[in-house]
Amino acid sequence: MKAVTVLGATGSIGVNTLDVIQQHPERFRVIALTANRNVDKLYEQCMEFRPRVAVMADSQAARSLSQRLKAADLKTEVWSGPEALIEAGGLAEADMVMAAIVGGAGLAPTLSAVQAGKTVLLANKEALVMGGSLFQAQVTKHQAMVIPIDSEHNAIFQCLPADRHPMEIGGGVRGLLLTASGGPFRDRPKSDLDSVTPEQAIAHPNWVMGRKISVDSASMMNKGLEVIEACYLFGTEPDRVRVVIHPQSVIHSMVEYVDGSVLAQLGNPDMRTPIAHALAWPERIESGVASLDLFEVSRLDFEPPDCERFPCLQLAFDAARAGHGAPVVLNAANEIAVEAFLDRRIRFTDIPHVIQDGLEGLGGMSVSDLEEVVDLDRRARCGAWDYIGMHLS
Ligand code: NAD
Ligand code: MG
């Protein structure tokens, strides 16, 4: 029986994780659940999974959850605030931690799981983009294990040799092919992108996801963050990662070997597949996902990405090549720009301008420890708000 903590339990990945867990009560028990401020959802999840601990980032939400759980006679302890999230990430009883908080807010709790030597199921790509090689050094130091949840990286993990070093791509690999659906604006004329709304941007054709990652998918920054994520996860250079637009989202990514073999992982676009894979690894368990019907899919299309239409992808490749603090700044500026776009303060096409300005100002900074990462992240966020205030509002 494995004890599991779910950080970000009320989000899209969190809910899918609990869906897989409830299909296997003999294998998994839930030790802790965390959320930002969605009391109703976390209450419902506590009633079903009876964790020892529930954490809410927001203290008022935590008070309300605590009252409701007491009234229901449930013994779950309720904690609140950022320190409690960090403590939940490293709880001694947990074997596995699903890191599914969105954005930079997930870095500290995810690192806490790493530093406690857990098996970390990593959905929170922003944490790795920010922490980079410093994050990976902690994984090695504390003998943690990271299994990627992002469907592309999980596919690559499945296509790489099982006996490779966890952070090295290994001999015989020529490169990684990262597939991308192209998002909701793949076929839109470039001139239309100025006026697209948040509602249009979050309506992804193939996947149902949280708002932030949905906007990232529409701008292709999601693929850009994933290029950086792949470099850190698999110890490779950006020039060995190719992005392939594949609108059906059936091939989740591929590994090309020097002998010409290309291995791919296929499946329906449903996050319960990578989640079940990671929860049970190296075994296989049911996920609740329907069999892939190749006759229904009928065709698989591929095209190169258009970096002119989607400048965020180019910015991410540039940041990946620059290394050091550039990915931290890219991620921070993007988070602020996406928030401002969702609040209708800036246009969709302003997002890359905010990021470019951040990279020009701070992208050359180096980071030598995790405190410097947090500091650079904070400065880049302030810089992005200033740029929006001065040039775009
Ligand atoms: P979501 O917005 O649906 O859920 C985010 C979760 O994080 C919620 O539980 C929320 O309560 C919590 N949270 C948000 N802000 C917080 C804060 N400041 N402090 C503490 N908790 C906070 O997001 P999602 O779509 O589930 O994505 C989660 C992560 O997984 C992201 O990093 C995303 O890039 C990654 N990911 C998601 C998918 C997907 O299909 N949804 C696929 C691949 C990767
Ligand atoms: Mg992905």
Side-chain angles (χ1 to χ4, degrees):
M1 181 78 106
K2 289 270 164 64
V4 187
T5 291
V6 184
L7 303 172
T10 55
S12 162
I13 293 289
V15 167
N16 278 307
T17 302
L18 292 173
D19 182 292
V20 176
I21 285 177
Q22 60 83 22
Q23 297 174 50
H24 303 279
E26 72 301 343
R27 271 182 179 261
F28 307 111
R29 77 193 161 91
V30 174
I31 198 79
L33 296 174
T34 85
N36 193 15
R37 56 170 79 98
N38 186 343
V39 178
D40 289 345
K41 190 85 203 167
L42 196 58
Y43 172 76
E44 193 189 295
Q45 294 177 335
C46 286
M47 292 305 285
E48 182 173 356
F49 294 95
R50 305 182 158 264
R52 185 172 79 71
V53 176
V55 187
M56 305 217 70
D58 183 89
S59 58
Q60 210 177 328
R63 268 197 298 281
S64 155
L65 178 71
S66 176
Q67 280 162 4
R68 287 176 64 180
L69 291 177
K70 270 204 190 94
D73 222 12
L74 204 71
K75 300 272 177 300
T76 300
E77 289 172 36
V78 180
W79 304 345
S80 77
E83 286 305 316
L85 282 172
I86 293 172
E87 206 175 326
L91 273 188
E93 306 102 297
D95 302 297
M96 285 189 277
V97 177
M98 167 59 78
I101 292 175
V102 60
L107 176 63
T110 303
L111 263 176
S112 162
V114 165
Q115 289 164 344
K118 308 294 182 196
T119 296
V120 178
L121 315 189
L122 185 74
N124 183 199
K125 65 192 85 183
E126 297 92 345
L128 185 59
V129 168
M130 289 170 73
S133 46
L134 297 164
F135 183 104
Q136 291 296 55
Q138 294 291 304
V139 173
T140 308
K141 181 174 171 196
H142 298 280
Q143 295 180 321
M145 158 111 199
V146 174
I147 307 183
I149 292 297
D150 217 344
S151 57
E152 297 76 4
H153 306 74
N154 184 270
I156 290 167
F157 182 95
Q158 294 195 44
C159 295
L160 285 171
D163 60 356
R164 79 194 163 90
H165 181 276
M167 273 169 253
E168 279 165 25
I169 201 167
V173 173
R174 184 173 283 154
L176 306 178
L177 298 163
L178 215 55
T179 52
S181 69
F185 304 142
R186 183 173 57 91
D187 291 327
R188 283 266 182 138
K190 198 174 164 222
S191 53
D192 273 16
L193 294 181
D194 263 349
S195 56
V196 296
T197 64
E199 291 72 23
Q200 291 167 326
I202 60 181
H204 196 280
N206 304 343
W207 299 93
V208 180
M209 310 181 286
R211 280 154 50 96
K212 193 262 176 183
I213 184 176
S214 297
V215 175
D216 284 347
S217 298
S219 70
M220 291 212 63
M221 178 51 95
N222 183 48
K223 211 49 53 183
L225 295 173
E226 289 182 356
V227 169
I228 302 172
E229 182 186 10
C231 291
Y232 290 135
L233 271 177
F234 305 117
T236 187
E237 300 299 314
D239 293 335
R240 287 223 277 170
V241 183
R242 268 188 12 231
V243 172
V244 178
I245 303 292
H246 164 50
Q248 292 88 358
S249 295
V250 165
I251 296 181
H252 298 305
S253 277
M254 296 168 260
V255 176
E256 183 186 359
Y257 288 87
V258 288
D259 62 4
S261 301
V262 176
L263 300 194
Q265 186 259 353
L266 285 72
N268 286 319
D270 186 322
M271 288 307 292
R272 291 176 301 172
T273 296
I275 290 168
H277 166 266
L279 279 169
W281 186 85
E283 293 172 35
R284 296 275 180 175
I285 55 172
E286 287 278 350
S287 64
V289 176
S291 290
L292 177 64
D293 183 342
L294 282 172
F295 299 115
E296 199 184 311
V297 173
S298 115
R299 56 183 277 183
L300 300 173
D301 295 309
F302 307 99
E303 52 188 73
D306 179 350
C307 283
E308 225 180 279
R309 185 199 295 247
F310 298 109
C312 287
L313 183 59
Q314 187 61 51
L315 289 170
F317 263 106
D318 294 345
R321 290 191 185 103
H324 301 290
V328 179
V329 175
L330 175 97
N331 177 66
N334 179 58
E335 282 193 35
I336 299 304
V338 169
E339 191 183 329
F341 168 66
L342 285 169
D343 287 346
R344 294 172 214 278
R345 288 176 183 222
I346 66 172
R347 293 172 304 179
F348 181 72
T349 45
D350 290 330
I351 294 173
H353 296 304
V354 178
I355 299 164
Q356 184 157 10
D357 179 73
L359 287 171
E360 280 166 9
L362 294 168
M365 303 284 292
S366 64
V367 280
S368 52
D369 58 38
L370 288 157
E371 283 84 59
E372 287 182 10
V373 167
V374 172
D375 189 53
L376 183 58
D377 172 71
R378 191 185 46 75
R379 287 176 60 191
R381 283 169 199 263
C382 291
W385 280 125
D386 287 348
Y387 179 84
I388 290 168
M390 272 192 284
H391 300 280
L392 303 174
S393 300

